[in-house]
Amino acid sequence: MQQSVNISLKDIHNVNEALLVLRHFIDLSSRLLPFLDELQRIDDPSDKESYDKRRIIEVYESYHFDTKTSEVLIGSNILELIKESFHTLANCSSDQHYKTAQKKLVRFILEHKRLDDKWKFIGSN
């Protein structure tokens, strides 16, 4: 016997809205985290560079999200990768920290690329 699932139009709308917000945050992170990485590497930052760095850190510190959301909605741990990348980049204080941050950032970038390719493929169908 086949079991049916009752999903309302409102539920579908809410899931679609959550997917749009999630995708926007992921795409934003794909630009901001590499930029934060660049800013962290500057030995003597200008006032603008220091300001940009503070603003990026404030953006991420203001977000309160459950990293499991991306696992449930898109089958990916990308929110966990974003969180790890941000915390590691924001707290870099030595060459070893930079190497760890780079590894985490690369893991995020690769997962973003995989998801972006998947979204493009889905969009083309």
Side-chain angles (χ1 to χ4, degrees), residues 71-101:
E71 292 176 25
V72 171
L73 290 176
I74 60 175
S76 171
N77 69 334
I78 195 153
L79 287 180
E80 182 66 32
L81 296 174
I82 290 170
K83 184 177 179 180
E84 289 176 1
S85 295
F86 165 70
H87 285 296
T88 308
L89 285 168
N91 297 306
C92 279
S93 60
S94 69
D95 285 342
Q96 186 59 37
H97 285 138
Y98 283 116
K99 287 178 186 176
T100 302

Side-chain angles (χ1 to χ4, degrees), residues 59-71:
V59 165
Y60 281 95
E61 287 178 344
S62 72
Y63 278 113
H64 301 286
F65 55 86
D66 182 355
T67 57
K68 298 288 184 199
T69 303
S70 64
E71 292 176 25

